[in-house]
């Protein structure tokens, strides 16, 4: 029962991480550009600009070729990460102890849960790696700009980091349940190690 609860906890943590990753992917504040009163927010799918606090003009990216390399690469990796997360959700649901899928083959059910956990971990690691690389690119570019233009990364970066970390932690929980289950099935109590039948005595 305890292992089933921990497995469910890991799955829920992963779901929260995936939800944060989805939110970060569609957010506009990946990069913030400031030139005086003029501000521009760049996201993976959209760009917004404003000369006034109350008025914002947003438009989607029309072409992929003209986009900066950091946006192109981050967009591609995030789509792969979300695809892996979607597969991990379906696989984990089949392999979790609280569901009734594969109940007649418990070993296959346990391996399925392990596979789901690994997929979650890969997805989270991809998210963390590409976000860190994106930040590195923005920091490098901001150091090469003139004093009138200021460029920095936005809130979507922190949301994505948190989402990737939670996804990895949830995947670890799901994977560890496979290890714990294997150990518990192999271990035996001292009473099981004692012979159940007494040796026959020799009668004269």
């Amino acid at each position: 029962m305890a292992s089933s609860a921990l497995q469910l906890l890991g799955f829920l943590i992963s779901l929260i991480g995936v939800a944060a990753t989805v939110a970060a992917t569609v957010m506009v504040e990946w990069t913030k550009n400031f030139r005086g009163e003029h501000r521009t927010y760049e996201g993976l799918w959209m760009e917004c600009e404003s000369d006034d606090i109350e008025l914002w003009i947003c438009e989607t990216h029309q072409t992929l070729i003209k986009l900066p390399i950091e946006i192109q690469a981050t967009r591609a990796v995030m789509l792969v990460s979300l695809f892996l997360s979607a597969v991990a959700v379906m696989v984990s649901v089949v392999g979790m102890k609280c569901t009734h899928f594969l109940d007649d083959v418990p070993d296959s059910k346990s391996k399925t849960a392990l596979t789901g956990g690994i997929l979650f971990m890969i997805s989270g690691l991809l998210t963390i790696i590409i976000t860190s690389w994106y930040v590195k690119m923005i920091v490098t570019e901001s150091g090469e700009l003139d004093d009138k233009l200021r460029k920095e990364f936005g809130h979507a970066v922190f949301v994505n980091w948190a989402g990737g970390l939670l996804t990895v932690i949830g995947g670890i929980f799901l994977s560890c349940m496979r290890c714990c289950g294997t150990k518990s099935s192999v271990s035996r109590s001292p009473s099981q190690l004692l012979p159940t039948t007494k040796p026959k005595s020799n009668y004269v």
Side-chain angles (χ1 to χ4, degrees), residues 116-128:
I118 292 174
L119 288 174
F120 272 129
M121 286 189 286
I122 294 174
S123 174
L125 287 174
L126 283 176
T127 300
I128 294 172

Side-chain angles (χ1 to χ4, degrees), residues 20 39-40 43 54-55 64 90-92 116 121-122 125 129 135 187:
R39 293 169 297 161
T40 303
E54 301 296 333
L55 181 61
L64 182 64
M90 293 185 289
V91 172
S92 298
M121 286 189 286
I122 294 174
L125 287 174
I129 291 170
V135 169
S187 60

